[in-house]
Amino acid sequence: MTGHSENKKSALKVHKGIEQPSSFNPNAVNHFQKTKINLLSPKDYYQGIIAGNRTVLSKAITLVESSLPKHQEIAQQIIEQCLPHSGNSIRIGITGVPGVGKSTFIESLGTYLTGKGHQLAVLAIDPSSEKTRGSILGDKTRMEKLSVDKNAFIRPSPSAGTLGGVARKTKEIIVLCEAAGFDTIIVETVGVGQSETAVHSMVDFFLLLMLAGAGDELQGIKRGIMEMADALVINKADGDNVKKARLAQLEYKNALHLFPPSESGWIPTVNTCSSLNNSGIEEVWAIVENYQELTKKNGYFQKRRQNQELKIFFESIGEKLKDNFYSNPEVKNQLVLMKNRIIDGKISSYQAGNFLLDTYYQSVKHK
């Protein structure tokens, strides 16, 4: 017995030590609860926006961007109240491949406009990571002068990895900015993929920034994007690049003649500029003003906006139906099963889709 008990003893002596602290910091929790954003009433948001209060405007935009049902409910009430005060601006979409100098161009154009007394809002769609859904949101850093300009408002927004992140929220943010008194709205696209199409459907004037000497000029951009553009501007036309920029300008002008005439009656222009030296910026703005004058006179300006509203109307119906479909409990239960059966070759994609749609309609019918 003695030997047995001795064998149970260990040479390892463990001290109890001190009690480990909680993984939660109570001070941090208290601080978070105290600094938690207090929601205002829709009327307070509306009055703050109309008064030009930037802080209230930013908070309202945060609600628009939020996916929480409570926030969306308040946001829609704010938009409804702001709608009669919107529409009094020129909406400009600016796109171009990464590295073309969009942020520098916007800052150069923006400071020129605020210098002329315009109230400018820049809505910069920042690319989100496909994996993490995170984004850099660095436009305020890139536009140092404009970010401290009292007549400018810069709002970077994550694209959330989807076109819906561009189209669904940006149009509503435009309404809020216009109600806050901004007469010029610039929407900067990610510059990749099909986000240009989404932005084109919510602006009055679409500007395509180009580079000279970056390879075959006419192969460097999609034909579809060139057809959407109301103006092509070749940026970085300074120093040794001036000659290349002028050559590219001539090539693009010749290429545009091959495109069919636009419904607006406007003939797209090709210009050069240097955002670094602020040269050609005044001419670019003159083009925007000429476009606005022509299209308002021939009725296209208003017609385009009406068509955009109808497009958003139908898209919002489709998005809502899609959300309701995938959030339906019966569909959720059958979705994984259908996916596995498709993979195993036991059912066709069309049959599985029809089955899920029938499941959805039946569940809605019996509610």
Side-chain angles (χ1 to χ4, degrees):
M1 285 292 292
T2 307
H4 179 71
S5 61
E6 284 176 356
N7 287 339
K8 290 179 70 177
K9 289 181 181 180
S10 170
L12 181 65
K13 190 173 182 181
V14 180
H15 291 281
K16 186 177 180 182
I18 60 170
E19 186 179 352
Q20 293 299 308
S22 169
S23 58
F24 293 99
N25 186 334
N27 294 327
V29 173
N30 291 334
H31 175 73
F32 174 77
Q33 290 174 341
K34 286 177 183 177
T35 57
K36 191 176 179 180
I37 298 173
N38 294 320
L39 294 175
L40 305 175
S41 69
K43 185 179 179 181
D44 288 335
Y45 281 112
Y46 163 72
Q47 290 177 340
I49 291 168
I50 295 300
N53 188 316
R54 302 284 179 89
T55 304
V56 175
L57 173 61
S58 295
K59 288 181 178 179
I61 291 174
T62 300
L63 292 180
V64 170
E65 292 174 339
S66 172
S67 58
L68 294 177
K70 183 181 179 182
H71 291 173
Q72 275 301 303
E73 185 181 343
I74 298 172
Q76 293 308 314
Q77 291 179 50
I78 299 167
I79 292 163
E80 187 178 354
Q81 292 181 61
C82 287
L83 207 54
H85 302 276
S86 67
N88 301 316
S89 77
I90 176 74
R91 305 164 184 170
I92 305 165
I94 296 179
T95 190
V97 295
V100 77
K102 289 191 292 291
S103 296
T104 309
F105 174 81
I106 290 170
E107 180 168 60
S108 185
L109 177 62
T111 50
Y112 170 76
L113 292 174
T114 56
K116 290 189 68 176
H118 288 280
Q119 297 289 316
L120 172 71
V122 179
L123 308 178
I125 309 301
D126 214 29
S128 298
S129 165
E130 288 291 333
K131 291 184 179 180
T132 65
R133 296 291 185 245
S135 56
I136 300 169
L137 303 178
D139 284 275
K140 283 195 173 183
T141 306
R142 294 194 291 265
M143 304 178 196
E144 292 179 2
K145 291 179 184 176
L146 209 56
S147 63
V148 295
D149 193 319
K150 62 183 177 124
N151 293 322
F153 175 76
I154 302 174
R155 177 72 186 206
S157 300
S159 64
T162 63
L163 292 182
V166 179
R168 187 185 289 186
K169 309 294 184 183
T170 307
K171 179 59 176 64
E172 294 174 338
I173 296 171
I174 288 173
V175 169
L176 299 185
C177 289
E178 289 176 341
F182 294 100
D183 58 59
T184 309
I185 313 289
I186 290 178
V187 182
E188 177 194 358
T189 78
V190 174
V192 290
Q194 293 178 302
S195 58
E196 290 82 5
T197 307
V199 172
H200 181 262
S201 67
M202 68 180 79
V203 297
D204 306 310
F205 187 90
F206 195 67
L207 189 150
L208 175 59
L209 276 181
M210 308 291 286
L211 281 175
D216 186 343
E217 308 299 347
L218 301 182
Q219 297 297 325
I221 200 76
K222 292 179 182 176
R223 176 189 168 98
I225 298 173
M226 284 185 67
E227 287 180 330
M228 287 190 294
D230 298 301
L232 273 68
V233 177
I234 299 154
N235 195 20
K236 301 184 180 180
D238 44 47
D240 297 335
N241 216 29
V242 173
K243 189 176 179 180
K244 290 179 181 177
R246 286 176 183 167
L247 182 61
Q249 181 184 17
L250 182 62
E251 289 179 346
Y252 283 125
K253 276 184 177 179
N254 292 335
L256 287 175
H257 285 305
L258 303 174
F259 293 172
S262 62
E263 188 186 346
S264 65
W266 170 261
I267 300 172
T269 61
V270 184
N271 280 58
T272 63
C273 80
S274 170
S275 304
L276 197 62
N277 300 332
N278 292 321
S279 63
I281 298 298
E282 187 175 348
E283 288 77 7
V284 170
W285 181 244
I287 292 167
V288 177
E289 289 184 315
N290 291 339
Y291 173 88
Q292 189 176 12
E293 183 182 354
L294 173 72
T295 53
K296 281 189 174 181
K297 192 178 289 183
N298 65 20
Y300 178 78
F301 190 92
Q302 190 59 30
K303 182 184 176 182
R304 178 169 175 169
R305 283 199 174 182
Q306 289 169 349
N307 289 337
Q308 287 174 349
E309 292 296 333
L310 289 175
K311 184 179 179 182
I312 290 170
F313 166 64
F314 288 114
E315 284 179 351
S316 65
I317 293 172
E319 287 168 2
K320 188 66 177 177
L321 286 171
K322 188 177 177 180
D323 290 342
N324 288 344
F325 176 80
Y326 283 108
S327 62
N328 183 280
E330 296 295 325
V331 171
K332 280 183 176 180
N333 289 336
Q334 296 293 333
L335 187 60
V336 176
L337 176 63
M338 288 298 107
K339 284 168 67 176
N340 289 334
R341 292 193 69 189
I342 291 169
I343 292 168
D344 294 338
K346 295 179 179 178
I347 190 172
S348 74
S349 303
Y350 299 106
Q351 286 176 309
N354 286 332
F355 175 79
L356 286 180
L357 284 170
D358 290 340
T359 302
Y360 173 72
Y361 292 137
Q362 288 297 323
S363 67
V364 172
K365 187 178 179 180
H366 289 103
K367 272 190 178 180

